[in-house]
């Protein structure tokens, strides 16, 4: 077995999950969460068992209650809705997504057309587009480039969803630049460090793998991309599973080397269960393949930290 590292939780996911856990400790159940806090079935069900209630919109949250906004970010109107319902809102948006929101606002203020590369309907895309809907148009992959229309080809910039395939995004940008030679790039890369690191190590191990198993949920963009990256990089096959029990024995027939990775919203214990499952089927020798060390951490949302500090002071 070739075990990819980095894998699993990124700093933004760790912060978001911890935000819900700490909110439950501080305020008591229930704590409402708008959308899935992160795109992982196991994480959501675990938090539900602890007293979190997941809703689609603010209207489902009783007035005056606590609501946590997911790691994927929300449009400004969602904050306004929360204020109108007197909700105590805690924003667990990943700081790297917040960075893209700030870029969108800044370029819109300078009257640029903004081409947002991302997947239609993804929560992160909806949130970013909501920052400047009159200036942003979605570009969903290279094949969408032909539909792009801008007001001034000299005032156009591209931004991207943070969890995309690096290669496909660069292909989309290349197509856009052929059409719009003066297209500006964001001040810094929008695709997050964790997404890039997980794709890079999977690319490294894939050519040596008969099959790559990625642990992650089907609505997790970065997890889905890892399977695609593995196949594009030379793995004979790639599969996405939430749990070890979903691995089918026929996937392993004739295989001598299996690669294992996990998306950025996946707890490590799920990966360990996959390793045990594969070891029981003859893949007992594990080599961890490391391409980067990740040390980044993010502090909890300021609204939560303030209340935690006040609660600690009251006990003292």
């Amino acid at each position: 077995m070739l075990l990819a590292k980095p894998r699993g939780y990124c700093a933004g996911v760790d912060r978001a999950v911890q935000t819900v856990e700490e909110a439950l400790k501080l305020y008591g159940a229930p704590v409402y969460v708008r959308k899935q806090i992160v795109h992982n079935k196991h994480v959501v069900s675990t938090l539900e068992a602890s007293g979190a209630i997941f809703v689609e919109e603010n209207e489902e949250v009783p007035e005056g209650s606590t609501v946590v906004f997911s790691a994927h970010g929300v449009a400004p109107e969602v904050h306004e809705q929360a204020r109108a319902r007197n909700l105590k809102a805690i924003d667990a948006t990943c700081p790297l997504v917040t960075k893209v929101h700030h870029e969108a606002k800044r370029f819109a203020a300078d009257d640029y057309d903004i081409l947002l590369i991302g997947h239609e309907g993804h929560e992160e895309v909806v949130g970013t587009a909501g920052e400047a809907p009159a200036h942003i148009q979605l570009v969903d992959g290279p094949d969408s480039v032909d539909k792009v229309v801008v007001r001034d080809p000299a005032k156009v910039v591209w931004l991207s969803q943070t969890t995309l395939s690096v290669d496909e995004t660069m292909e989309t940008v290349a197509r856009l630049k052929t059409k719009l030679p003066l297209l500006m790039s964001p001040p810094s890369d929008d695709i997050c460090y964790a997404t890039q690191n997980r794709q890079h190590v999977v690319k490294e191990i894939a050519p040596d793998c008969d099959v790559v198993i990625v642990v992650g949920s089907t609505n997790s963009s970065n997890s889905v991309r890892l399977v695609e990256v593995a196949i594009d990089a030379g793995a004979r096959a790639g599969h996405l599973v939430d749990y070890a029990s979903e691995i089918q024995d026929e996937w392993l027939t004739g295989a001598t080397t299996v690669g294992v990775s996990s998306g950025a919203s996946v707890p490590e214990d799920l990966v360990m269960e996959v390793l045990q499952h594969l070891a029981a089927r003859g893949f007992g020798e594990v080599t961890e393949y490391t391409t980067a060390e990740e040390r980044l951490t993010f502090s909890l949302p300021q609204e939560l930290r303030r209340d935690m500090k006040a609660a600690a002071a009251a006990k003292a």
Side-chain angles (χ1 to χ4, degrees):
M1 243 187 302
L2 294 181
L3 178 60
K5 184 180 177 185
R7 63 183 176 274
Y9 271 16
C10 63
V13 164
D14 197 29
R15 172 185 187 261
V17 174
Q18 200 183 339
T19 295
V20 179
E21 292 170 343
E22 292 296 335
L24 283 163
K25 282 186 212 166
L26 187 61
Y27 309 121
V31 166
Y32 292 84
V33 185
R34 184 184 177 277
K35 309 287 189 185
Q36 292 190 356
I37 186 68
V38 296
H39 286 157
N40 184 266
K41 192 188 288 187
H42 180 77
V43 170
V44 169
S45 61
T46 301
L47 291 172
E48 279 178 331
S50 301
I53 296 176
F54 290 86
V55 298
E56 284 300 302
E57 298 298 344
N58 286 336
E59 292 79 50
E60 299 168 61
V61 182
E63 290 204 18
S65 299
T66 299
V67 63
V68 179
F69 296 147
S70 80
H72 309 104
V74 296
E77 66 182 16
V78 176
H79 288 280
E80 290 160 19
Q81 291 162 0
R83 282 191 289 271
R85 292 183 62 78
N86 193 30
L87 302 180
K88 180 181 189 59
I90 299 170
D91 190 353
T93 301
C94 173
L96 300 180
V97 175
T98 301
K99 175 183 82 77
V100 182
H101 281 226
H102 289 324
E103 289 169 354
K105 287 188 279 192
R106 185 161 63 81
F107 283 112
D110 291 336
D111 202 30
Y112 274 76
D113 278 351
I114 300 165
L115 305 180
L116 178 59
I117 300 172
H119 297 304
E120 187 166 6
H122 190 280
E123 285 152 45
E124 186 187 324
V125 165
V126 172
T128 302
E131 295 286 1
H135 289 265
I136 292 177
Q137 57 184 299
L138 180 66
V139 182
D140 195 343
D143 294 338
S144 299
V145 170
D146 292 343
K147 300 174 200 161
V148 170
V149 178
V150 299
R151 294 169 299 159
D152 179 356
K155 283 197 82 171
V156 58
V157 63
W158 70 270
L159 304 177
S160 84
Q161 183 182 328
T162 62
T163 53
L164 299 179
S165 154
V166 177
D167 291 342
E168 186 181 344
T169 302
M170 290 302 102
E171 185 188 340
T172 304
V173 171
R175 291 268 289 269
L176 284 168
K177 285 189 171 175
T178 301
K179 181 171 184 165
L180 301 161
L182 299 178
L183 177 70
M184 273 184 64
S185 296
S188 61
D189 199 340
D190 285 344
I191 296 178
C192 92
Y193 77 96
T195 298
Q196 296 192 48
N197 286 346
R198 280 149 191 70
Q199 289 178 15
H200 178 65
V201 66
V202 165
K203 267 189 191 176
E204 292 287 310
I205 66 170
D208 297 323
C209 295
D210 299 299
V211 59
V212 172
I213 306 287
V214 175
V215 188
S217 294
T218 54
N219 64 336
S220 165
S221 179
N222 77 87
S223 300
V224 172
R225 299 289 85 72
L226 284 176
V227 177
E228 295 171 354
V229 165
I231 293 168
D232 288 347
R236 194 185 77 203
H239 300 282
L240 184 67
V241 298
D242 269 298
Y243 298 103
S245 59
E246 296 171 13
I247 296 171
Q248 297 176 27
D249 286 345
E250 54 263 35
W251 297 350
L252 309 174
T253 304
T256 55
T257 304
V258 177
V260 176
S261 184
S262 59
S265 48
V266 176
E268 182 68 0
D269 56 340
L270 297 184
V271 178
M272 292 303 107
E273 287 171 13
V274 165
L275 298 191
Q276 290 166 12
H277 181 95
L278 292 171
R281 283 151 183 81
F283 298 93
E285 187 185 323
V286 181
T287 301
E288 190 169 55
Y289 193 102
T290 306
T291 55
E293 295 292 339
E294 294 179 349
R295 296 186 177 86
L296 184 66
T297 57
F298 295 131
S299 58
L300 292 169
Q302 59 181 5
E303 313 92 349
L304 183 59
R305 278 185 286 131
R306 187 175 58 236
D307 286 356
M308 289 169 72
K309 193 174 177 182
K315 280 184 186 173

